[in-house]
């Protein structure tokens, strides 16, 4: 058996791809299943993809990526399965997926962890939004042998187009990577958030709460991201995201937050930030939206907040009580180990490649 992984980004760059594809590849190696990973964007393209401007370079890299996909079609006969994470090409119709399913008659496993059938783009690339062809998600679901969905909301969408769906959350390797427990009795107390440029705007939802807390308590608010946030906070500390220091950077947090707006797009989010926090023994305080409601046991492994006042009360409570942070953090790690770990879902992943 051999599997072709058709992915958007260079290896090791994007969280979604790292945790939904790349960290699972050793499971195939254990079963002597051969595979190849085929990114659309090169590392050079990744360096400018989410920067303003560079339109000529971006167009050039886009054309190169499409040409590589054309050449990849010639290799399809040698693979038993074609695993497509999110989409084969970032713009235009799903021609690659159609060719793979209808012409080459390949078994497609389609995997997604966002509500990618909805329009959503960054301000730096809003010119490309009209070419995204969001409706192709429905078609790819229909043509697929199986559809792997990051949460139940996404699965309900996929089920309307294909009954062969599998719930596969974005899991955490609690043995080899997220394998430490935060020491909560620290001199400084840090509230933290991690994410990318696309979710940075959600921090505006929590900015007023943090400003109120700053007036009464001493703490740092740490943001780990690929871009500095635009927040009016005296407590703010920005840490550029680096894969090699990711775990140590997260372990600076005493409390981890995941604010979300109550929108259809946000309901497609898979609570991954919260899972990362909890896996490291960091209490998660999250918005009561989408997968957060299932991922974070309220009052046990973290807190689920419906209002701004609830956010304030829960963060205040955790800021003042190291013992509570330690208790909730320990429960959170146990919860992830039992319900969202790589070890729990390894069989479900490998069974995607079964007849």
């Amino acid at each position: 058996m051999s599997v072709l992984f058709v992915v958007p980004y260079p290896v090791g760059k994007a969280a979604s791809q790292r945790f939904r594809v790349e960290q699972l590849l050793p499971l195939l190696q254990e079963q002597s299943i051969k595979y190849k990973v085929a990114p659309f964007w090169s590392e050079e393209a990744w360096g400018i993809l989410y920067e303003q401007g560079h339109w000529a370079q971006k167009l050039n890299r886009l054309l190169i990526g499409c040409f590589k996909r054309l050449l990849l079609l010639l290799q399809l006969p040698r693979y038993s399965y074609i695993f497509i994470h999110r989409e084969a090409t970032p713009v235009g119709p799903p021609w690659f997926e159609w060719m793979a399913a209808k012409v080459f008659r390949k078994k497609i496993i389609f995997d997604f962890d966002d509500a990618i059938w909805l329009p959503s783009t960054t301000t730096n690339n809003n010119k490309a939004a009209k070419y995204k062809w969001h409706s192709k998600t429905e078609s790819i679901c229909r043509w697929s042998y199986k559809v792997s969905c990051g949460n139940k909301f996404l699965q309900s969408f996929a089920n309307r187009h294909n009954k062969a769906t599998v719930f596969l959350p974005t899991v955490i390797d609690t043995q080899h990577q997220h394998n430490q427990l935060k020491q909560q009795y620290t001199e400084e107390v840090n509230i933290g958030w991690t994410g990318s440029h696309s979710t940075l705007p959600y921090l505006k939802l929590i900015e007023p709460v943090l400003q109120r807390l700053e007036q009464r308590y001493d703490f740092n608010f740490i943001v780990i991201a690929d871009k500095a946030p635009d927040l009016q906070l005296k407590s703010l500390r920005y840490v550029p995201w680096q894969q090699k220091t990711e775990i140590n950077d997260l372990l600076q947090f005493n409390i981890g937050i995941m604010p979300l707006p109550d929108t259809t797009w946000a309901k497609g989010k898979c609570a991954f930030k919260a899972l990362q926090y909890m896996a490291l023994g960091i209490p998660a305080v999250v918005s009561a939206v989408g997968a957060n409601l299932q991922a974070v046991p309220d009052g046990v492994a973290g807190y689920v907040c419906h209002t701004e006042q609830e956010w304030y009360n829960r963060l205040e409570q955790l800021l003042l009580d190291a013992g509570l942070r330690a208790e909730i953090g320990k429960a959170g790690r146990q919860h992830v180990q039992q319900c969202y770990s790589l070890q729990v879902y390894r069989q479900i992943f490998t069974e995607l490649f079964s007849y």
Side-chain angles (χ1 to χ4, degrees):
M1 186 190 299
S2 58
V3 183
L4 175 64
F5 287 89
V6 178
V7 299
Y9 310 114
V11 171
K13 300 298 182 181
S16 171
Q17 186 173 300
R18 286 171 50 225
F19 288 96
R20 294 193 65 79
V21 177
E22 295 164 24
Q23 78 164 344
L24 301 170
L25 297 178
L27 303 182
L28 300 185
Q29 290 177 322
E30 291 173 8
Q31 299 190 25
S32 300
I33 297 174
K34 297 179 180 179
Y35 64 84
K36 175 182 177 178
V37 180
F40 181 90
W41 296 108
S42 65
E43 292 213 17
E44 294 80 8
W46 175 260
I48 61 170
L49 188 59
Y50 298 107
E51 299 291 332
Q52 286 188 326
H54 307 286
W55 290 109
Q57 291 174 274
K58 289 177 182 177
L59 179 59
N60 180 55
R61 298 300 177 183
L62 176 68
L63 294 174
I64 291 172
C66 289
F67 181 68
K68 286 164 58 180
R69 286 291 187 251
L70 277 172
L71 295 179
L72 193 61
L73 287 174
L74 303 177
Q75 301 179 31
L76 295 191
R78 71 181 70 165
Y79 294 100
S80 312
Y81 296 92
I82 312 299
F83 186 106
I84 298 175
H85 175 57
R86 297 178 71 96
E87 58 193 359
T89 57
V91 296
W95 57 269
F96 182 94
E97 293 90 340
W98 185 86
M99 290 286 290
K102 301 300 183 181
V103 177
F104 290 90
R105 301 290 181 182
K106 289 298 174 180
K107 288 182 167 62
I108 292 177
I109 297 166
F110 180 37
D111 173 76
F112 61 103
D113 64 339
D114 272 321
I116 55 176
W117 65 92
L118 299 173
S120 178
T121 188
T122 63
T123 55
N124 291 340
N125 282 331
N126 53 16
K127 291 182 181 178
K130 67 178 83 171
Y131 305 109
K132 286 291 288 180
W133 211 288
H134 296 95
S135 61
K136 67 184 176 183
T137 306
E138 299 178 12
S139 300
I140 304 171
C141 284
R142 287 198 307 271
W143 302 333
S144 295
Y145 173 59
K146 294 179 182 177
V147 184
S148 166
C149 309
N151 68 32
K152 296 293 185 179
F153 175 74
L154 303 177
Q155 188 178 22
S156 67
F157 170 85
N159 272 331
R160 298 200 292 269
H161 310 286
N162 187 334
K163 295 303 179 185
T165 66
V166 176
F167 168 54
L168 182 62
T170 308
V171 295
I172 304 288
D173 184 349
T174 56
Q175 291 184 358
H176 303 104
Q177 188 178 23
H178 293 72
N179 57 0
Q180 300 181 58
L181 188 67
K182 169 68 180 179
Q183 168 55 253
Q184 287 289 353
Y185 292 89
T186 55
E187 185 174 338
E188 288 187 330
V189 180
N190 299 323
I191 300 172
W193 179 92
T194 186
S196 69
H197 60 277
S198 63
T199 49
L200 270 175
Y202 299 158
L203 289 178
K204 285 291 183 181
L205 299 170
I206 199 70
E207 185 177 28
V209 173
L210 295 172
Q211 288 172 339
R212 287 173 59 196
L213 287 167
E214 283 181 337
Q215 295 174 15
R216 297 190 62 187
Y217 306 107
D218 290 326
F219 64 89
N220 298 307
F221 180 56
I222 301 175
V223 172
I224 303 172
D226 56 353
K227 181 181 176 182
D230 178 21
L231 297 171
Q232 304 305 310
L233 295 170
K234 64 181 182 182
S235 61
L236 179 64
R237 284 175 50 199
Y238 168 57
V239 177
W241 179 87
Q242 298 182 73
Q243 185 176 1
K244 64 182 179 181
T245 62
E246 180 176 26
I247 301 303
N248 286 335
D249 290 340
L250 286 171
L251 284 168
Q252 296 180 70
F253 299 178
N254 296 89
I255 305 159
I257 65 169
M258 186 177 176
L260 285 176
D262 191 3
T263 63
T264 306
W265 173 261
K267 289 175 182 175
K269 293 294 178 184
C270 294
F272 183 64
K273 294 177 180 58
L275 296 175
Q276 280 194 294
Y277 305 149
M278 292 188 293
L280 294 170
I282 300 166
V285 185
V286 304
S287 294
V289 175
N292 286 353
L293 293 164
Q294 290 77 46
V296 181
D298 189 29
V300 177
Y303 294 111
V304 177
C305 301
H306 297 80
T307 66
E308 189 174 293
Q309 189 59 45
E310 282 188 13
W311 271 97
Y312 182 90
N313 293 342
R314 294 310 190 184
L315 290 174
E316 180 183 49
Q317 197 174 1
L318 290 167
L319 280 171
L320 295 175
D321 194 336
L324 179 63
R325 296 197 302 268
E327 178 186 344
I328 288 181
K330 184 177 179 181
R333 176 161 176 79
Q334 291 174 344
H335 172 64
V336 172
Q337 287 175 316
Q338 294 168 5
C339 302
Y340 288 93
S341 68
L342 175 63
Q343 292 68 36
V344 169
Y345 278 91
R346 59 185 297 140
Q347 184 174 348
I348 291 175
F349 173 72
T350 56
E351 284 180 351
L352 290 173
F353 311 99
S354 61
Y355 293 96

